[in-house]
Amino acid sequence: MANIVKTVCRILLPALLLSACGASSVVISGSFPTPNIGKLPLSLAVVYDDTLEEFTYTEYSETGQEEYHIQSGQSHIELFNAILPAMFDQVVRVDAVEEGAGAGVDAIFVPNIEEFQLALPAKTRLDVYEVWIKYNMRLLTAEGDYLADWVLTSYGKTPTETFVSTETAINAAAIVALRDLASTFALSFAQVPEISDWLASR
Amino acid sequence: MNALEFRETGQGKVGGPLLLLLALTAGCTSTTVDEFRQGDTGIESHESVVILGRRQAGNRETSSDFVECVGDRLAQGMDGLSVVPEQEFLDAMFPWFEPRTAPLQPEHLGRLMVEEQVALTMRDFGVRYIIWVDGFTETLNRVGSISCTVAPGGAGCFGYGSWEDDASFNAEIWDVENYNGVGQISTDATGQSFMPAIVIPIPLIARVEANACQRLGDQLKSFVIGG
């Protein structure tokens, strides 16, 4: 019995001590409104690949220690699931680009996060938390051929407030950035030159 | 313990009137309101207003609490206006009134209202005026220090702190029916807050932002109702 207690203490005590010093995990979550825009007469297949679905950004402290793990992959998928059906006549989710051809769609959309940046008040000396995200958006034909490839950036900020934790503030700034992505994407999609030409040729 | 010694040495005779003076001066907020009218206004009972915070600036943004406070002020009383909640309006109008896409000039409203969905939603809400509020409250001239001690016999604080709050907000009123700006109202409120601590800290807070909200709300209401 004494041995068991000793073993448990040997494992649990260091684990408890380490957990107090470890990085905080922030899973971005929020709700997104449906865009109030006209639909394009297109059927679209969307591919959320693993890099998007499992996207996690790690923020390091000034001493190089891991400070925050920010998981935003799922929230991006929820965002696209909210905005795409409002933008297109029909949207189907497929697991891979190759499946798009069999789905009988006009185009395949593949969104990806290229870069994620976080600015904390403790480092910037400003009274705001800021999130900046860079995306690469790809639109392919149903056969998987290139149609368009464009870069979008989104930005979100939230002011510092008393009694609001850093994790909550990071989440709030990220949600503002995701809304920014949704608004830019929804309003600029048909203006991307290659997409505009493709739509005109249909 | 230090606080007791302070009073016993006779300095309490000075401390009493000082506290009284602080109590009298604290909470004193000076507020100025400027109005600039560019056109006639008026509102029917079936029409409403929406108050939106400007959030385009880099290192600050208009607080949604302040926007809500002004909205509540407009809706208060017998002559209260119908106010569409900011978030409800932003969600229903998404993505047209986001920080990056929102119109910056009243003339841009015309272009926006060409969008069928925007015009329909605006009509559903019955919005006659959009009021854009831009501003923030900052704390300046923070001086003094308070130290607190916990001992086996008890705990207490001693010291003095003081700071000045400055709230500066500007409201721009757009007429949705005519796509033009009908006026601007700006408010600037400043106030000194004090926190003397003799055993316990006594906060004597100047309600700067609350006063700015109250004065701006009242002025906006009378502006919209008309003349």
Side-chain angles (χ1 to χ4, degrees), chain A residues 33-39 79 83 126-128 130 153-155 157-159 161 176 178-184 186-187, chain B residues 55-65 87 90-96 98-101 115-118 120-122:
Chain A
T34 307
N36 193 354
I37 53 172
K39 282 185 180 185
L79 174 81
I83 63 171
L126 297 174
D127 291 334
V128 286
E130 296 169 288
T153 56
S154 70
Y155 171 77
K157 68 176 191 295
T158 191
E161 280 181 63
V176 176
L178 286 170
R179 274 183 82 114
D180 185 42
L181 163 71
S183 64
T184 314
L187 295 180
Chain B
R55 300 194 172 93
Q56 275 84 4
N59 59 351
R60 59 169 180 87
E61 63 178 36
T62 311
S63 126
S64 51
D65 288 345
Q87 198 56 51
L90 292 176
D91 285 351
M93 281 291 183
F94 187 77
W96 304 100
E98 296 301 297
R100 209 196 287 224
T101 57
E115 299 290 333
E116 197 186 337
Q117 289 84 356
V118 174
L120 272 174
T121 311
M122 201 73 89

Side-chain angles (χ1 to χ4, degrees), chain B residues 113-129:
Chain B
M113 294 293 273
V114 169
E115 299 290 333
E116 197 186 337
Q117 289 84 356
V118 174
L120 272 174
T121 311
M122 201 73 89
R123 205 176 58 202
D124 287 348
F125 277 125
V127 174
R128 175 64 198 270
Y129 297 102

